Amino acid sequence: MPQEHTGASIAPEHVTVLAGPTAVGKGTVSTYIRDHCPDVWLSVSATTRAPRPGEQEGVHYFFVDDDEFQRMVDEGQMLEWAVVHNRSRYGTPRQKVLDAVAAGRRVLLEIDLAGARQVRQSMPEAQLVFLAPPTWEELVARLTGRGTESPEEQQVRLETAKMELAAEPEFDHTVVNDQVETAAQRLVELMGLDPRTCA
């Protein structure tokens, strides 16, 4: 169970969670923010999987073994965590987020729906932003257009996306990902920053 955060109060815009349905473009929007918005600190997840070519420790992920990950979970050091594809574990280290907030940074967590719900429990002062597609048809086109899944896998993901879209009322704000740059600027504005600082 996530532990309750008992530290100093955090303003809602200091920690922002970005979540949404599969294929909506969460990673694309957060990468744009990381590359163009220096005032935003993008949280780095810990994972038990091995590094892929080009991935750097502390930049893309913190790479830990199963024992270390379990220790962090047991000691309440994870804001949220999950097992992905029944294999590797991913999680958000709590202290890294608190350190960034203490340094005056605006923090962005790009995680899945289950992770967003865990953050709501363990850090209720964080604001949750739902990234939505312009239309259902556009989401279907994005998912099927990738060509990375079989028709059966695509159907499963579409059914999952329907359930994920139904969770939108749980969030504080919704941003429509019609264009990546525009969506990123809307998100940055919700974080209490001037979107014009995203060069």
Side-chain angles (χ1 to χ4, degrees):
M1 283 288 290
Q3 294 188 359
E4 289 296 321
H5 170 56
T6 56
S9 178
I10 297 173
E13 69 272 12
H14 284 171
V15 178
T16 298
V17 172
L18 180 67
T22 181
V24 77
K26 298 184 297 292
T28 304
V29 170
S30 62
T31 297
Y32 181 93
I33 289 175
R34 183 180 65 193
D35 293 343
H36 295 87
C37 309
D39 291 338
V40 176
W41 184 83
L42 196 62
S43 176
V44 178
S45 297
T47 182
T48 57
R49 75 160 170 78
R52 293 172 182 152
E55 288 183 336
Q56 300 175 42
E57 170 73 18
V59 176
H60 299 94
Y61 291 97
F62 296 109
F63 297 99
V64 299
D65 61 22
D66 282 309
D67 289 343
E68 175 65 9
F69 195 101
Q70 188 60 49
R71 183 189 66 79
M72 295 174 75
V73 170
D74 291 343
E75 295 181 2
Q77 294 183 26
M78 291 293 188
L79 264 181
E80 57 83 30
W81 69 276
V83 178
V84 178
H85 303 310
N86 296 319
R87 295 177 62 188
S88 303
R89 291 194 282 181
Y90 292 78
T92 302
R94 179 191 301 270
Q95 195 57 49
K96 299 286 186 183
V97 171
L98 296 179
D99 289 347
V101 170
R105 306 296 303 275
R106 295 293 198 273
V107 175
L108 177 64
L109 279 64
E110 181 242 315
I111 52 181
D112 65 9
L113 180 59
R117 287 169 172 158
Q118 288 183 49
V119 173
R120 171 122 290 173
Q121 288 187 351
S122 61
M123 187 179 281
E125 62 269 43
Q127 68 170 345
L128 271 56
V129 178
F130 189 86
L131 191 65
T135 63
W136 169 252
E137 290 74 21
E138 176 65 22
L139 187 68
V140 172
R142 290 179 188 178
L143 199 154
T144 57
R146 297 191 300 195
T148 54
E149 295 98 1
S150 69
E152 293 78 13
E153 290 172 324
Q154 289 176 359
Q155 191 58 42
V156 169
R157 290 178 71 102
L158 287 172
E159 291 301 319
T160 299
K162 288 179 183 177
M163 292 187 291
E164 291 169 334
L165 282 168
E168 182 180 351
E170 298 177 33
F171 287 71
D172 302 309
H173 306 281
T174 295
V175 169
V176 176
N177 188 16
D178 41 11
Q179 290 186 317
V180 171
E181 181 178 353
T182 305
Q185 289 175 341
R186 291 187 192 123
L187 181 59
V188 167
E189 198 166 14
L190 286 172
M191 297 176 75
L193 296 169
D194 186 341
R196 292 175 296 182
T197 62
C198 295

mmCIF file of all heavy atoms in Angstrom, residues 39-65:
data_model
loop_
_atom_site.group_PDB
_atom_site.id
_atom_site.type_symbol
_atom_site.label_atom_id
_atom_site.label_comp_id
_atom_site.label_asym_id
_atom_site.label_seq_id
_atom_site.Cartn_x
_atom_site.Cartn_y
_atom_site.Cartn_z
ATOM 1 N N ASP A 39 12.153 24.826 -17.474
ATOM 2 C CA ASP A 39 11.665 25.070 -16.120
ATOM 3 C C ASP A 39 10.902 23.877 -15.539
ATOM 4 O O ASP A 39 10.524 23.888 -14.371
ATOM 5 C CB ASP A 39 10.755 26.310 -16.098
ATOM 6 C CG ASP A 39 11.530 27.593 -16.357
ATOM 7 O OD1 ASP A 39 12.761 27.594 -16.132
ATOM 8 O OD2 ASP A 39 10.916 28.581 -16.798
ATOM 9 N N VAL A 40 10.662 22.852 -16.375
ATOM 10 C CA VAL A 40 9.941 21.663 -15.918
ATOM 11 C C VAL A 40 10.944 20.537 -15.665
ATOM 12 O O VAL A 40 11.799 20.250 -16.503
ATOM 13 C CB VAL A 40 8.895 21.206 -16.962
ATOM 14 C CG1 VAL A 40 8.223 19.911 -16.509
ATOM 15 C CG2 VAL A 40 7.850 22.293 -17.173
ATOM 16 N N TRP A 41 10.822 19.908 -14.497
ATOM 17 C CA TRP A 41 11.652 18.739 -14.168
ATOM 18 C C TRP A 41 10.835 17.494 -14.420
ATOM 19 O O TRP A 41 9.818 17.268 -13.776
ATOM 20 C CB TRP A 41 12.098 18.812 -12.709
ATOM 21 C CG TRP A 41 13.037 17.709 -12.310
ATOM 22 C CD1 TRP A 41 14.381 17.659 -12.505
ATOM 23 C CD2 TRP A 41 12.698 16.494 -11.627
ATOM 24 N NE1 TRP A 41 14.905 16.494 -11.991
ATOM 25 C CE2 TRP A 41 13.901 15.755 -11.451
ATOM 26 C CE3 TRP A 41 11.506 15.944 -11.150
ATOM 27 C CZ2 TRP A 41 13.933 14.515 -10.822
ATOM 28 C CZ3 TRP A 41 11.520 14.705 -10.529
ATOM 29 C CH2 TRP A 41 12.726 14.011 -10.365
ATOM 30 N N LEU A 42 11.272 16.701 -15.407
ATOM 31 C CA LEU A 42 10.561 15.477 -15.756
ATOM 32 C C LEU A 42 11.068 14.337 -14.888
ATOM 33 O O LEU A 42 12.255 14.010 -14.901
ATOM 34 C CB LEU A 42 10.773 15.156 -17.240
ATOM 35 C CG LEU A 42 9.811 14.148 -17.875
ATOM 36 C CD1 LEU A 42 8.377 14.655 -17.832
ATOM 37 C CD2 LEU A 42 10.217 13.851 -19.315
ATOM 38 N N SER A 43 10.169 13.749 -14.122
ATOM 39 C CA SER A 43 10.550 12.679 -13.208
ATOM 40 C C SER A 43 11.141 11.492 -13.963
ATOM 41 O O SER A 43 10.676 11.134 -15.047
ATOM 42 C CB SER A 43 9.328 12.224 -12.408
ATOM 43 O OG SER A 43 9.640 11.132 -11.584
ATOM 44 N N VAL A 44 12.164 10.881 -13.386
ATOM 45 C CA VAL A 44 12.817 9.710 -13.970
ATOM 46 C C VAL A 44 12.409 8.485 -13.158
ATOM 47 O O VAL A 44 12.560 8.462 -11.934
ATOM 48 C CB VAL A 44 14.353 9.878 -13.970
ATOM 49 C CG1 VAL A 44 15.029 8.633 -14.536
ATOM 50 C CG2 VAL A 44 14.755 11.113 -14.763
ATOM 51 N N SER A 45 11.899 7.467 -13.838
ATOM 52 C CA SER A 45 11.426 6.261 -13.168
ATOM 53 C C SER A 45 12.578 5.313 -12.860
ATOM 54 O O SER A 45 13.596 5.298 -13.550
ATOM 55 C CB SER A 45 10.404 5.530 -14.049
ATOM 56 O OG SER A 45 9.264 6.326 -14.255
ATOM 57 N N ALA A 46 12.378 4.506 -11.839
ATOM 58 C CA ALA A 46 13.258 3.375 -11.571
ATOM 59 C C ALA A 46 12.670 2.146 -12.251
ATOM 60 O O ALA A 46 11.446 2.004 -12.333
ATOM 61 C CB ALA A 46 13.380 3.133 -10.070
ATOM 62 N N THR A 47 13.528 1.272 -12.752
ATOM 63 C CA THR A 47 13.048 0.063 -13.405
ATOM 64 C C THR A 47 13.982 -1.104 -13.147
ATOM 65 O O THR A 47 15.193 -0.908 -12.945
ATOM 66 C CB THR A 47 12.881 0.264 -14.923
ATOM 67 O OG1 THR A 47 12.368 -0.949 -15.504
ATOM 68 C CG2 THR A 47 14.207 0.595 -15.594
ATOM 69 N N THR A 48 13.406 -2.313 -13.173
ATOM 70 C CA THR A 48 14.223 -3.508 -12.991
ATOM 71 C C THR A 48 14.686 -4.090 -14.328
ATOM 72 O O THR A 48 15.433 -5.069 -14.334
ATOM 73 C CB THR A 48 13.424 -4.593 -12.241
ATOM 74 O OG1 THR A 48 12.223 -4.889 -12.973
ATOM 75 C CG2 THR A 48 13.065 -4.124 -10.848
ATOM 76 N N ARG A 49 14.256 -3.520 -15.444
ATOM 77 C CA ARG A 49 14.720 -4.051 -16.725
ATOM 78 C C ARG A 49 16.120 -3.541 -17.042
ATOM 79 O O ARG A 49 16.567 -2.526 -16.511
ATOM 80 C CB ARG A 49 13.741 -3.735 -17.850
ATOM 81 C CG ARG A 49 13.747 -2.298 -18.341
ATOM 82 C CD ARG A 49 13.137 -2.232 -19.742
ATOM 83 N NE ARG A 49 12.908 -0.870 -20.187
ATOM 84 C CZ ARG A 49 13.842 -0.060 -20.648
ATOM 85 N NH1 ARG A 49 15.122 -0.419 -20.649
ATOM 86 N NH2 ARG A 49 13.521 1.157 -21.069
ATOM 87 N N ALA A 50 16.790 -4.239 -17.949
ATOM 88 C CA ALA A 50 18.147 -3.849 -18.347
ATOM 89 C C ALA A 50 18.116 -2.626 -19.245
ATOM 90 O O ALA A 50 17.133 -2.402 -19.966
ATOM 91 C CB ALA A 50 18.822 -5.017 -19.075
ATOM 92 N N PRO A 51 19.179 -1.819 -19.220
ATOM 93 C CA PRO A 51 19.235 -0.651 -20.111
ATOM 94 C C PRO A 51 19.227 -1.070 -21.583
ATOM 95 O O PRO A 51 19.826 -2.080 -21.957
ATOM 96 C CB PRO A 51 20.567 0.014 -19.738
ATOM 97 C CG PRO A 51 20.932 -0.545 -18.405
ATOM 98 C CD PRO A 51 20.356 -1.914 -18.349
ATOM 99 N N ARG A 52 18.549 -0.285 -22.392
ATOM 100 C CA ARG A 52 18.581 -0.475 -23.841
ATOM 101 C C ARG A 52 19.704 0.382 -24.412
ATOM 102 O O ARG A 52 20.165 1.320 -23.753
ATOM 103 C CB ARG A 52 17.232 -0.088 -24.452
ATOM 104 C CG ARG A 52 16.109 -1.028 -24.037
ATOM 105 C CD ARG A 52 14.754 -0.529 -24.488
ATOM 106 N NE ARG A 52 13.680 -1.423 -24.047
ATOM 107 C CZ ARG A 52 12.438 -1.040 -23.819
ATOM 108 N NH1 ARG A 52 12.094 0.235 -23.972
ATOM 109 N NH2 ARG A 52 11.523 -1.908 -23.429
ATOM 110 N N PRO A 53 20.156 0.073 -25.638
ATOM 111 C CA PRO A 53 21.234 0.867 -26.239
ATOM 112 C C PRO A 53 20.905 2.361 -26.238
ATOM 113 O O PRO A 53 19.806 2.758 -26.635
ATOM 114 C CB PRO A 53 21.310 0.321 -27.670
ATOM 115 C CG PRO A 53 20.822 -1.093 -27.550
ATOM 116 C CD PRO A 53 19.754 -1.061 -26.500
ATOM 117 N N GLY A 54 21.839 3.163 -25.742
ATOM 118 C CA GLY A 54 21.661 4.617 -25.725
ATOM 119 C C GLY A 54 21.026 5.170 -24.469
ATOM 120 O O GLY A 54 21.050 6.383 -24.240
ATOM 121 N N GLU A 55 20.453 4.301 -23.624
ATOM 122 C CA GLU A 55 19.822 4.782 -22.398
ATOM 123 C C GLU A 55 20.878 5.059 -21.332
ATOM 124 O O GLU A 55 21.805 4.269 -21.151
ATOM 125 C CB GLU A 55 18.814 3.763 -21.878
ATOM 126 C CG GLU A 55 17.563 3.677 -22.730
ATOM 127 C CD GLU A 55 16.528 2.723 -22.177
ATOM 128 O OE1 GLU A 55 16.900 1.795 -21.424
ATOM 129 O OE2 GLU A 55 15.335 2.884 -22.500
ATOM 130 N N GLN A 56 20.704 6.180 -20.637
ATOM 131 C CA GLN A 56 21.677 6.604 -19.631
ATOM 132 C C GLN A 56 21.064 6.539 -18.236
ATOM 133 O O GLN A 56 19.922 6.949 -18.024
ATOM 134 C CB GLN A 56 22.143 8.036 -19.914
ATOM 135 C CG GLN A 56 22.812 8.223 -21.267
ATOM 136 C CD GLN A 56 23.140 9.673 -21.523
ATOM 137 O OE1 GLN A 56 23.608 10.388 -20.634
ATOM 138 N NE2 GLN A 56 22.903 10.137 -22.744
ATOM 139 N N GLU A 57 21.854 6.054 -17.293
ATOM 140 C CA GLU A 57 21.456 6.004 -15.897
ATOM 141 C C GLU A 57 21.148 7.405 -15.382
ATOM 142 O O GLU A 57 21.925 8.341 -15.559
ATOM 143 C CB GLU A 57 22.583 5.381 -15.059
ATOM 144 C CG GLU A 57 22.408 5.483 -13.561
ATOM 145 C CD GLU A 57 21.333 4.556 -13.006
ATOM 146 O OE1 GLU A 57 20.959 3.601 -13.708
ATOM 147 O OE2 GLU A 57 20.889 4.807 -11.880
ATOM 148 N N GLY A 58 19.969 7.565 -14.780
ATOM 149 C CA GLY A 58 19.601 8.847 -14.205
ATOM 150 C C GLY A 58 19.022 9.839 -15.200
ATOM 151 O O GLY A 58 18.501 10.879 -14.809
ATOM 152 N N VAL A 59 19.119 9.527 -16.485
ATOM 153 C CA VAL A 59 18.548 10.398 -17.523
ATOM 154 C C VAL A 59 17.251 9.797 -18.048
ATOM 155 O O VAL A 59 16.201 10.438 -18.050
ATOM 156 C CB VAL A 59 19.539 10.617 -18.676
ATOM 157 C CG1 VAL A 59 18.888 11.443 -19.796
ATOM 158 C CG2 VAL A 59 20.799 11.303 -18.174
ATOM 159 N N HIS A 60 17.340 8.539 -18.482
ATOM 160 C CA HIS A 60 16.153 7.852 -18.980
ATOM 161 C C HIS A 60 15.468 7.052 -17.869
ATOM 162 O O HIS A 60 14.242 7.062 -17.759
ATOM 163 C CB HIS A 60 16.534 6.939 -20.146
ATOM 164 C CG HIS A 60 17.123 7.680 -21.310
ATOM 165 N ND1 HIS A 60 18.478 7.845 -21.478
ATOM 166 C CD2 HIS A 60 16.536 8.335 -22.337
ATOM 167 C CE1 HIS A 60 18.697 8.548 -22.574
ATOM 168 N NE2 HIS A 60 17.531 8.856 -23.110
ATOM 169 N N TYR A 61 16.272 6.351 -17.076
ATOM 170 C CA TYR A 61 15.768 5.555 -15.951
ATOM 171 C C TYR A 61 16.856 5.434 -14.892
ATOM 172 O O TYR A 61 18.034 5.664 -15.161
ATOM 173 C CB TYR A 61 15.382 4.126 -16.401
ATOM 174 C CG TYR A 61 14.178 4.058 -17.291
ATOM 175 C CD1 TYR A 61 14.325 3.986 -18.683
ATOM 176 C CD2 TYR A 61 12.887 4.046 -16.772
ATOM 177 C CE1 TYR A 61 13.212 3.927 -19.515
ATOM 178 C CE2 TYR A 61 11.776 3.988 -17.598
ATOM 179 C CZ TYR A 61 11.948 3.933 -18.969
ATOM 180 O OH TYR A 61 10.851 3.876 -19.778
ATOM 181 N N PHE A 62 16.418 5.036 -13.679
ATOM 182 C CA PHE A 62 17.345 4.520 -12.675
ATOM 183 C C PHE A 62 17.234 3.003 -12.759
ATOM 184 O O PHE A 62 16.156 2.445 -12.534
ATOM 185 C CB PHE A 62 16.971 5.012 -11.275
ATOM 186 C CG PHE A 62 17.071 6.503 -11.104
ATOM 187 C CD1 PHE A 62 15.916 7.278 -10.985
ATOM 188 C CD2 PHE A 62 18.297 7.135 -11.071
ATOM 189 C CE1 PHE A 62 15.995 8.651 -10.829
ATOM 190 C CE2 PHE A 62 18.388 8.518 -10.917
ATOM 191 C CZ PHE A 62 17.244 9.265 -10.805
ATOM 192 N N PHE A 63 18.326 2.332 -13.099
ATOM 193 C CA PHE A 63 18.296 0.884 -13.281
ATOM 194 C C PHE A 63 18.709 0.201 -11.977
ATOM 195 O O PHE A 63 19.811 0.417 -11.474
ATOM 196 C CB PHE A 63 19.235 0.490 -14.427
ATOM 197 C CG PHE A 63 18.811 1.070 -15.751
ATOM 198 C CD1 PHE A 63 19.408 2.217 -16.250
ATOM 199 C CD2 PHE A 63 17.787 0.482 -16.492
ATOM 200 C CE1 PHE A 63 19.004 2.770 -17.471
ATOM 201 C CE2 PHE A 63 17.381 1.026 -17.708
ATOM 202 C CZ PHE A 63 17.994 2.171 -18.195
ATOM 203 N N VAL A 64 17.787 -0.598 -11.435
ATOM 204 C CA VAL A 64 18.022 -1.279 -10.162
ATOM 205 C C VAL A 64 17.651 -2.751 -10.320
ATOM 206 O O VAL A 64 16.888 -3.126 -11.227
ATOM 207 C CB VAL A 64 17.205 -0.646 -9.018
ATOM 208 C CG1 VAL A 64 17.580 0.818 -8.815
ATOM 209 C CG2 VAL A 64 15.707 -0.760 -9.281
ATOM 210 N N ASP A 65 18.175 -3.591 -9.422
ATOM 211 C CA ASP A 65 17.790 -5.000 -9.467
ATOM 212 C C ASP A 65 16.512 -5.214 -8.655
ATOM 213 O O ASP A 65 15.997 -4.301 -8.004
ATOM 214 C CB ASP A 65 18.929 -5.904 -8.983
ATOM 215 C CG ASP A 65 19.345 -5.637 -7.543
ATOM 216 O OD1 ASP A 65 18.540 -5.085 -6.761
ATOM 217 O OD2 ASP A 65 20.497 -5.974 -7.189
#
